[in-house]
Amino acid sequence: MSSSSAISTQLTVELTNLVPLASIATLISRASFQILRSIARSGSDPFTEATLAQILGRGVIEINLARTFREILGQNTTYGLSALNEILLEAGPGPTVTRSLTENDYFGTVVQLSLLTYCHDIENLTQNLIKALERRSVGSKEPVDLPSHTLLKGTLEACRTQTSRFQWESWYQAIEVLLHGVVLELKPYESRPLTLDLLQALLDMLPAIQRYPDSVIRIEATTGFVTVIVWAYIVLGLTVTLESDKTFKTFGQGREKVIVICRGSLIMHDSSSVSLLDETKDLQFRITSNHESDSPLEPECRYPAHGYGRKHLLFAFEEAALVDELSHRITASCLRLAGQTFDDRSKHISDATQGEIFPSRFKIMDAGSLLFGDLQYDSKYFQEMLDAPCLCTSNWAQIGPNLPQTITDYLAEYEADDVNENIRARNVKREMRYMSLIVLNFATIKDLSSCQNLPLSLYPRGVPMQVDFRLPTATQSFQFLAKFLLGSAYDAQKVDRAALVSAWGWSMLVKSIDCDDPSDVRPEIEIREGVPTRFDERRPWILDEWAYNPSSSWGARSHNGGSAQYKCTSVPGDRAVLQNLSKARNSMCQVTVTNDAFIVYKQFELEDSDSKPDAWVGTRIGFRTMQEMCWRTIALPYCDHRVHLGEEIEVPDGVWCFSGVEHPRIKWPDDNPQLTMEDRGWVHAGLVAGSSAARWVLLSTRISAPSRLLLSLCIECNKEQEARKGAGLSTLILIRADDESFRLQGVQYRHM
């Protein structure tokens, strides 16, 4: 054992004698079996919680913070998802936090774990907390049952998720503003994480000095001092003093209980130490870190969506005037790109495949206002920016005289060094393109007003700084935003097949989860507060089945000889009745629970009117697959054509109506196999009115492998679009009933 570990073990034994631990049996016995089961089903572990409550539960939370914490987390909220009757989004406290609100041991534990999980990477915190607990167990007279890595991480994640409404960031910023330029020589987030020795020492020292007023903690820190101040002063109500070469600051009133020494450059410190002093400030215990245990834990760098872009730019440039200018220029560049792309596509809407989204001017400006912190737009000045060359795409050497003065001043700081000036220009342009991409992706979110407190990763995994300046597709937006929500937990393969991803108490979901019909699905992405919950079980993912089992068969399943062959029912010139010829026998949602996900799909069964009465054909489709089918579907604008359900219409030239969904068996009335689909007409209208199940199945089979799917219910509108297009493969359209009459229920890909 190293000297540091030996001393820390002795310290733990001595402090445990000073501040006794409650028995785990006593802590566990307070809760009913129902509460313990709910805690376990939510992803936490009751025994791990009791182990942590033995240690952290000895601390007394500062009375004002305790009241605020209880007020913010006093009530949870649930949201239903129309397509998933069994799964709800539950926001706010779960069983772990709910119990803690009435039991002080657990309340102190939850508050302190909430703080530690906010500022540290949860995987790295788990590893180091296990090491700290192992050190504490050495030399213990009683056997110690340490939690496993899996159970401890689950408990920490449950605590962080259930307390995500509490804004620790505001407390950190209040402290960091006072220390900026004095001791914060690194970026603030790099000074937040504790070291292993500091973490272990504070677990026992903080409750000791609370109980014994004459005791004092003295810390010589290379990092973690901001978290020490928040933990000791904000959370526990202890007076903290901070000393450095430049300042002496006191946080709190009364006798100092924690002394933090930070001298010289933070980068140059080689080690840190933690000491417990008596009333005369004589040394009682001291831990001096070695190089291995002095390394800080990995930080978790998060910032709310409101003001996120401004925070990012301030980190990059540290000049408020420049950041203000860039915020306006970035939003203007996004408007120019969206406008140019829309103008380019407006004449060729039927070519807009793969779920391209054209956010409106208002959504882009709302996204800019959110990300840059209530950005105020001066209409005259903003119009000048729109008329000026786009800074994200222009050659700055050519538009030099037209560059904004703030940017010119920033570049001119290295006027004598052309190399540095060029580097600065490239950096500014790179940051502008990067932030523009963030604004454009945020403009695809349905309700930006609900995302003010969405905690975003400042250093998302897998997002390159060098990005293409173009509008993202819906699929790209989902992947992109998932990186900022998940942070270090981002898993590209899972996100690829996810209908919902959740982290930090928030969820990002595709619209198909909340819609029964494909024509009601919108291209926007929804972000809501809450975690998927089913019968008290919480999981951060909702995935399509074959994300876990790629060999699963997704072909149609037949019962009692049933089939749903693709059959042509009407040709040009016929009188066709608008009806549903593919009746839904059943549609139900199936859920399988794994250790970290709900695997969900919808089972569709369609009657086969040409076979036995109880014959049917069925298939199952995951919700992410449903969404992608709609993302690849072009929706037409609303129209005034009113064709009522059950009425006869004359099938126009170039239109073929069909029933059935099963590819490729096709029965044509003329029974001429020499004629291809292209020979028979450009528009194929699927008669699936009144049956959302039939429409989903029809989309899933991709009849005739069309190059473009028009989601509409108006044959006239589709015929007009095909006439404009002029050439191409056949087009599949879906016809639906809206109460008594048909009319378009499509999504607006061009506008949001």
Side-chain angles (χ1 to χ4, degrees), residues 697-725:
V697 176
L698 186 60
L699 274 178
S700 71
T701 56
R702 294 179 176 83
I703 302 301
S704 76
S707 62
R708 28 186 88 74
L709 299 175
L710 298 181
L711 182 56
S712 177
L713 46 79
C714 180
I715 289 178
E716 293 298 326
C717 284
N718 282 277
K719 186 60 182 174
E720 291 171 9
Q721 286 295 325
E722 286 303 301
R724 263 194 224 107
K725 182 182 63 180

Side-chain angles (χ1 to χ4, degrees), residues 66 120 512 526 528 545 560 564 580 632:
H120 297 105
S512 60
E526 290 208 37
R528 303 182 190 175
E545 183 180 21
N560 202 15
N580 173 34
R632 288 193 291 267

Side-chain angles (χ1 to χ4, degrees), residues 557-616:
R557 297 187 301 109
S558 176
H559 175 75
N560 202 15
S563 71
Q565 294 181 2
Y566 180 38
K567 305 167 188 177
C568 182
T569 59
S570 303
V571 298
D574 285 354
R575 303 291 296 180
V577 178
L578 296 184
Q579 58 184 309
N580 173 34
L581 297 181
S582 301
K583 296 181 180 179
R585 169 188 171 93
N586 199 4
S587 66
M588 64 191 83
C589 191
Q590 302 289 346
V591 181
T592 302
V593 183
T594 70
N595 64 336
D596 68 343
F598 295 122
I599 311 301
V600 184
Y601 63 85
K602 202 159 189 178
Q603 176 75 36
F604 296 101
E605 296 174 1
L606 305 178
E607 294 179 2
D608 183 3
S609 57
D610 294 340
S611 301
K612 300 177 183 179
D614 61 343
W616 54 268

